[in-house]
């Protein structure tokens, strides 16, 4: 029997609730599909940070490298500044494991009504450069607390980093029915890094004549997402821009509670990490009403990556049957809790 070793990092807030639901559904599915998932839990969280001063213990990343994939919940706590939690857990994994391709699909699932007129036209995949750009960590602060205090934040765009994410985007776009790729940029104002971003895109475009492309400024693409959603399909954007746009895409699709993410190392030199995008959501933590759909969809993406496309499709079909039956948590206007949605997906499997 094929066995996959999965590192489970529930993290903070509702991450613990939805990852537990995801493991339950995945375990049920694996039994039906005749493969095995061995989960090992890691207590890397803000709670651990407050007790020990570190999210990741010494040697933690080396141990994590031995797994086939990482199933991640969320990081962020009211008790820890956001820049400490993000740079303490998620980003060391993404950057340390060169998970440079962040993939975020968005569409309106059956039974869900988008608040957007024309929302049924949403069928997007946003590809986010995940290793450099605005989140490179380059910069610093000097003269702290003085009138002349200075902080710099440098966006880093390398030819290698930009070329590989654009190539990944073209490869994905040409596999989709519409074969359409939108370049999101802000090269009118960011005249160095994003000009390089644009130039490399059009260099690579020559190798993919079958893919239709357009170039849109990031502010303009937000209006297209709202007013003309059907004109977009595959979208490639920088680390910061795609981070923002994918949250908008999730909201337009119905809720942040249904949106999945894959942080991929396409060359598979390191394990990839799969996480729902909704964050730790401490306002609903412990209430049992967190929407697990994003985690289940994320799990489907993980199975696809692991080489189990049949199981991935079966899980996605079960998700769609559950939403079609409108077994919804409150974020989608429903009255059901996490347990009810989990049970519904397990029945649908």
């Amino acid at each position: 029997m094929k066995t996959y070793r999965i590192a489970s990092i529930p993290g903070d807030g509702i991450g613990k609730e939805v990852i537990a639901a995801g493991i339950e559904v995945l375990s049920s599915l694996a039994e039906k599909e005749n493969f095995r998932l061995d989960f090992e839990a890691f207590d890397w969280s803000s709670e651990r940070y407050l007790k020990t001063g570190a999210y990741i213990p010494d040697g933690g990343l080396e141990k994590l490298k031995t797994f086939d994939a990482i199933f991640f919940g969320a990081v962020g706590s009211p008790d820890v500044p956001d820049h400490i939690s993000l740079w303490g857990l998620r980003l060391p994994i993404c950057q340390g494991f060169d998970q440079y391709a962040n993939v975020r699909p968005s569409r309106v699932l059956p039974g869900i009504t988008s608040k957007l007129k024309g929302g049924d036209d949403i069928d997007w995949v946003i590809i986010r450069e995940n290793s450099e750009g605005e989140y490179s960590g380059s910069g610093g602060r000097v003269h702290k607390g003085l009138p002349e205090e200075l902080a710099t934040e440098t966006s880093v765009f390398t030819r290698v980093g930009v070329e590989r994410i654009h190539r990944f985007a073209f490869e994905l776009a040409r596999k989709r029915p519409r074969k359409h790729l939108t370049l999101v940029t802000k090269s009118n104002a960011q005249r160095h890094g994003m000009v390089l971003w644009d130039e490399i895109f059009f260099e690579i475009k020559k190798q993919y004549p079958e893919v239709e492309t357009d170039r849109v400024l990031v502010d303009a693409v937000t209006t297209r997402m709202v007013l003309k959603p059907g004109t977009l399909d595959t979208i490639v954007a920088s680390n910061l821009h795609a981070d923002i746009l994918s949250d908008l895409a999730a909201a337009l699709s119905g809720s942040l509670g249904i949106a999945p993410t894959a942080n991929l190392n396409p060359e598979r030199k390191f394990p990839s990490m799969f996480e729902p995008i909704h964050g730790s959501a401490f306002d609903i933590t412990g209430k049992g009403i967190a929407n697990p759909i994003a985690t289940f969809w994320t799990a489907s993406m993980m199975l696809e990556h692991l080489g189990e496309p049949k199981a991935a499709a079966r899980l996605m079909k079960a998700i769609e049957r559950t939403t079609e039956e409108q077994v919804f948590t409150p974020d989608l206007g429903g009255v059901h809790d996490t347990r009810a949605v989990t049970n519904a997906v397990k029945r649908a499997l």
Side-chain angles (χ1 to χ4, degrees):
M1 181 182 292
K2 184 83 174 183
T3 300
Y4 304 97
R5 296 180 63 243
I6 311 297
S8 163
I9 308 177
D12 297 330
I14 65 169
K16 298 176 181 179
E17 302 169 37
V18 295
I19 290 297
I23 290 173
E24 184 178 334
V25 164
L26 279 168
S27 298
S28 175
L29 175 59
E31 186 177 338
K32 292 175 171 60
E33 290 290 336
N34 199 34
F35 61 88
R36 183 173 173 179
L37 298 171
D38 283 347
F39 291 94
E40 183 173 337
F42 290 75
D43 69 343
W44 301 354
S45 64
S46 293
E47 183 179 355
R48 186 187 190 283
Y49 170 80
L50 291 169
K51 289 179 179 177
T52 69
Y55 280 88
I56 302 173
D58 291 342
L61 290 181
E62 284 300 315
K63 183 175 182 181
L64 209 58
K65 285 180 185 177
T66 65
F67 288 83
D68 296 305
I70 304 162
F71 201 31
F72 187 89
V75 63
S77 166
D79 300 322
V80 181
D82 287 342
H83 67 283
I84 292 176
S85 59
L86 186 65
W87 283 97
L89 183 54
R90 185 185 178 277
L91 288 181
I93 298 172
C94 287
Q95 294 184 352
F97 288 176
D98 205 19
Q99 296 167 351
Y100 64 84
N102 178 285
V103 180
R104 299 189 172 190
S106 293
R107 60 186 173 89
V108 180
L109 297 175
I112 295 176
T113 302
S114 170
K115 293 181 175 63
L116 178 68
K117 184 178 180 181
D120 289 345
D121 291 335
I122 295 174
D123 186 1
W124 306 325
V125 177
I126 297 177
I127 300 166
R128 168 186 175 186
E129 200 293 314
N130 209 35
S131 66
E132 52 180 39
E134 303 88 348
Y135 297 173
S136 67
S138 177
R141 289 174 66 182
V142 295
H143 309 306
K144 287 187 179 182
L146 299 176
E148 62 270 29
E149 182 171 2
L150 172 69
T152 61
E153 199 78 49
T154 304
S155 296
V156 175
F157 293 87
T158 66
R159 176 166 285 275
V160 168
V162 175
E163 183 174 297
R164 66 186 183 177
I165 196 63
H166 284 333
R167 190 174 303 281
F168 180 91
F170 273 101
E171 287 289 340
L172 192 149
R174 75 174 180 178
K175 294 173 184 174
R176 285 171 58 82
R178 290 180 57 189
K179 294 181 172 55
H180 185 278
L181 178 60
T182 296
L183 169 69
V184 173
T185 184
K186 194 60 180 172
S187 52
N188 58 341
Q190 295 174 277
R191 61 181 182 165
H192 302 300
M194 296 232 75
V195 169
L196 177 67
W197 173 264
D198 289 1
E199 288 175 356
I200 293 175
F201 178 90
F202 288 107
E203 288 174 12
I204 294 176
K205 170 183 164 63
K206 297 173 185 176
Q207 302 168 32
Y208 295 88
E210 71 275 29
V211 177
E212 182 184 353
T213 66
D214 59 352
R215 171 185 170 277
V216 188
L217 296 177
V218 64
D219 42 336
V221 83
T222 61
T223 65
R224 271 180 60 181
M225 290 171 73
V226 173
L227 299 177
K228 298 179 180 179
T231 65
L232 296 166
D233 182 59
T234 311
I235 301 164
V236 63
S238 71
N239 214 330
L240 174 62
H241 293 165
D243 191 7
I244 296 168
L245 294 175
S246 56
D247 276 17
L248 173 59
L252 295 176
S253 301
S255 168
L256 286 179
I258 64 171
T261 305
N263 301 286
L264 300 178
N265 174 249
E267 293 75 24
R268 299 175 186 261
K269 295 178 181 177
F270 302 97
S272 295
M273 182 164 69
F274 300 83
E275 62 173 320
I277 77 168
H278 48 57
S280 49
F282 267 82
D283 57 326
I284 60 169
T285 297
K287 297 181 179 179
I289 58 171
N291 193 340
I293 291 296
T295 305
F296 300 155
W297 192 346
T298 296
S300 176
M301 295 177 74
M302 182 170 71
L303 291 172
E304 186 78 36
H305 178 77
L306 289 172
E308 297 290 345
K310 181 170 173 283
R314 181 172 182 169
L315 178 52
M316 202 65 224
K317 186 175 180 181
I319 292 167
E320 291 173 345
R321 182 175 298 177
T322 300
T323 59
E324 189 173 27
E325 293 173 355
Q326 298 191 332
V327 183
F328 292 157
T329 43
D331 59 303
L332 289 171
V335 297
H336 297 281
D337 58 12
T338 309
R339 168 49 53 196
V341 178
T342 302
N343 288 344
V345 170
K346 288 174 68 177
R347 286 195 302 272
L349 287 174

